[in-house]
């Protein structure tokens, strides 16, 4: 099944609202094993919205839309779907009664303009919305399905999970496993993995992130056990080549794995940064951390100044990231030892991310994180 998401609302195009609905729906479709191949955003204009649905119907079997189901004149999703399918909307008396009861339950009469929220076309059934006044539409015709839901996230998510998702079944499952690496760049990873990144079942993709590089393994199939076995086999092959760089998997955070390494030792860590301006602290910090003593940021400071400033925290271990025009001499001092690492770069701007990742990798290597 090919799916796409259509977001309706001029406020999205103006940047007044961030479209979190599309990201949510893409993730839910992926979990169902349904391929979401397109996303589009269109404003509150009947002609352009109609064109968006016509285009979607030409290439997808499932179209999921959010927004434009309100009672005002610029809420045009119903009209656009009806026009795209060449059907005329009419007031559904049962829906109208439900809407009037909704308003009566709040001690007010239903405004006349809300009547359009009781519209249906012949191919549509209503999707009930106990959290608001905008019922959705579930349209099925000639091998197509259009699901139109409100743009308010809490109304949309409830409608999707309670009314729509249980009716979808592609016969396939989609599963992913993400390995998180430090101490090697994205191009170095691809070179080491070689033919593995060209695999199609499962697929292997690399992504540069703030906490290193992620390698995502993804597979889809009708047999969940077979999918899991293929992913596990690919993970084993990747670890055989890059296991020394792996510090975590899936939802694990550096903060959590560093804390897991420090707590058995009874150590508390402080960070003192100059060039990286707090980037390392952001990666490691956790409001609930009992192992993180604190951080200090001193622009233009050398290692001596940073270590002196960090003394105020009374930490057992200190990570110092000094400034520098072309190199930064990092130092991780622990009760057991101290380890230095010099990182060179072309300019401070170019070096900031490289040094931050090198500092995190220094912590990883000294504390022995990852590789499982």
């Amino acid at each position: 099944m090919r799916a796409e998401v259509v977001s309706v609302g001029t406020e999205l195009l103006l940047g007044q609202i961030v479209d979190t609905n599309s990201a949510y729906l893409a993730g839910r479709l992926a979990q169902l094993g349904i391929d979401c191949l397109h996303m589009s955003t269109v404003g509150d204009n009947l002609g352009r919205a109609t064109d968006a649905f016509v285009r979607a119907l030409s290439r997808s079997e499932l179209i999921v839309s959010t927004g434009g189901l309100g009672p005002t004149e610029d809420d045009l999703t119903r009209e656009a779907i009806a026009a795209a399918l060449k059907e005329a909307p009419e007031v559904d008396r049962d829906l109208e009664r439900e809407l009037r009861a909704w308003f009566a339950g709040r001690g007010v009469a239903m405004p006349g303009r809300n009547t359009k929220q009781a519209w249906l076309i012949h191919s549509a059934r209503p999707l009930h919305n106990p959290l608001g006044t905008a019922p959705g539409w579930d349209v099925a015709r000639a091998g197509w399905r259009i699901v139109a839901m409100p743009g308010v996230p809490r109304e949309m998510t409830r409608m999707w999970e309670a009314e729509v998702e249980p009716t979808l079944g592609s016969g396939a499952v989609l599963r992913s496993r993400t390995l998180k690496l430090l101490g090697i760049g994205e191009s170095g990873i691809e070179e080491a993995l070689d033919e593995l990144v060209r695999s199609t079942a499962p697929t292997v993709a690399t992504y540069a992130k703030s906490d290193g590089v992620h390698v995502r393994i993804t597979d889809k199939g009708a047999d969940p056990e077979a999918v899991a076995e293929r992913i596990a086999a690919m993970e084993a092959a990747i670890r055989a080549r890059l296991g020394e760089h792996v510090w975590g998997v899936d939802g694990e955070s550096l903060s959590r794995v560093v804390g897991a390494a420090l707590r058995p030792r009874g150590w508390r860590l402080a960070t003192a940064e100059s060039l990286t301006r707090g980037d390392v602290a952001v990666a490691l910090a956790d409001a609930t951390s009992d192992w993180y003593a604190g951080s200090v940021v001193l622009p233009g400071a050398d290692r001596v100044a940073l270590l002196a400033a960090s003394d105020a925290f009374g930490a057992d271990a200190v990570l110092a990231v000094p400034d520098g025009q072309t190199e930064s001499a990092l130092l991780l001092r622990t009760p057991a030892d101290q380890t230095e690492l010099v990182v060179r770069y072309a300019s401070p701007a170019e070096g900031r991310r490289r040094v931050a990742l090198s500092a995190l990798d220094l912590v990883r290597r000294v504390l022995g994180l990852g590789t499982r």
Side-chain angles (χ1 to χ4, degrees):
M1 181 184 294
R2 294 169 299 181
E4 67 181 271
V5 176
V6 178
S7 302
V8 182
T10 300
E11 66 275 13
L12 297 171
L13 297 176
L14 295 176
Q16 296 172 345
I17 294 179
V18 176
D19 183 10
T20 58
N21 289 342
S22 291
Y24 166 84
L25 289 168
R28 301 295 289 203
L29 288 167
Q31 291 174 17
L32 294 170
I34 298 174
D35 296 321
C36 182
L37 302 181
H38 302 278
M39 286 185 181
S40 60
T41 304
V42 64
D44 301 314
N45 176 278
L46 182 57
R48 289 191 287 273
T50 300
D51 289 343
F53 282 104
V54 170
R55 184 170 59 253
L57 289 166
S58 72
R59 62 193 182 191
S60 303
E61 289 80 40
L62 173 64
I63 298 96
V64 183
S65 78
T66 61
L69 295 182
T72 62
E73 291 185 7
D74 63 350
D75 289 308
L76 298 167
T77 297
R78 299 179 195 83
E79 291 91 327
I81 294 173
L85 296 177
K86 296 181 171 55
E87 295 190 34
E90 297 180 354
V91 174
D92 181 90
R93 296 306 172 190
D94 290 335
L95 269 182
E96 184 182 17
R97 280 193 292 272
E98 288 181 17
L99 281 171
R100 293 190 183 280
W102 192 93
F103 281 96
R106 287 153 180 79
V108 295
M110 186 181 84
R113 66 177 58 190
N114 284 82
T115 302
K116 69 180 291 185
Q117 294 183 301
W119 286 355
L120 282 179
I121 56 175
H122 177 73
S123 302
R125 71 176 182 90
L127 295 171
H128 297 285
N129 181 11
L131 302 180
T133 65
W137 277 13
D138 189 352
V139 183
R141 199 181 81 172
W144 296 317
R145 186 172 180 185
I146 303 175
V147 174
M149 298 180 292
V152 178
R154 72 186 190 95
E155 297 180 25
M156 183 276 297
T157 54
R158 183 266 164 202
M159 187 176 290
W160 174 262
E161 293 174 14
E163 304 270 345
V164 181
E165 196 171 82
T167 70
L168 293 171
S170 68
V173 296
L174 184 79
R175 298 289 184 267
S176 291
R177 176 78 160 170
T178 298
L179 305 181
K180 300 180 176 182
L181 293 79
L182 277 169
I184 186 170
E186 191 172 9
S187 59
I189 289 174
E190 286 212 347
E191 184 175 349
L193 296 183
D194 195 17
E195 80 285 356
L196 298 184
V197 299
R198 297 189 293 275
S199 169
T200 57
T203 60
V204 177
T206 61
Y207 304 90
K209 299 289 186 177
S210 60
D211 56 1
V213 181
H214 293 186
V215 178
R216 189 184 67 195
I217 310 165
T218 306
D219 202 3
K220 182 171 70 172
D223 184 347
E225 290 187 5
V227 169
E229 289 174 1
R230 288 195 295 270
I231 289 177
M234 180 61 77
E235 179 179 351
I238 293 172
R239 285 181 179 272
R241 303 184 190 189
L242 294 170
E244 64 184 289
H245 297 289
V246 177
W247 64 261
V249 297
D250 293 335
E252 288 185 324
S253 67
L254 270 168
S255 180
R256 188 167 72 179
V257 296
V258 169
L262 289 168
R263 286 191 187 97
R265 295 174 167 92
W267 294 352
R268 297 174 70 244
L269 173 71
T271 54
E273 301 177 65
S274 183
L275 177 67
T276 48
R277 302 299 196 271
D279 293 345
V280 177
V282 169
L284 294 179
D286 185 330
T288 62
S289 295
D290 54 354
W291 54 265
Y292 197 37
S295 65
V296 60
V297 177
L298 296 175
D302 61 14
R303 196 163 70 183
V304 174
L306 291 172
L307 291 173
S310 68
D311 287 342
F313 296 113
D316 303 287
V318 177
L319 173 64
V321 187
D323 211 342
Q325 291 301 306
T326 59
E327 67 178 38
S328 180
L330 315 182
L331 175 69
L332 179 60
R333 187 180 66 195
T334 73
D337 202 353
Q338 64 179 34
T339 306
E340 299 183 11
L341 176 65
V342 177
V343 183
R344 295 180 175 84
Y345 40 85
S347 67
E350 182 269 337
R352 179 171 173 174
R353 182 175 185 275
R354 179 183 298 180
V355 170
L357 290 177
S358 297
L360 294 169
D361 189 47
L362 179 60
V363 174
R364 180 189 73 85
R365 287 190 290 106
V366 170
L367 296 180
L369 308 177
T371 74
R372 61 189 180 285

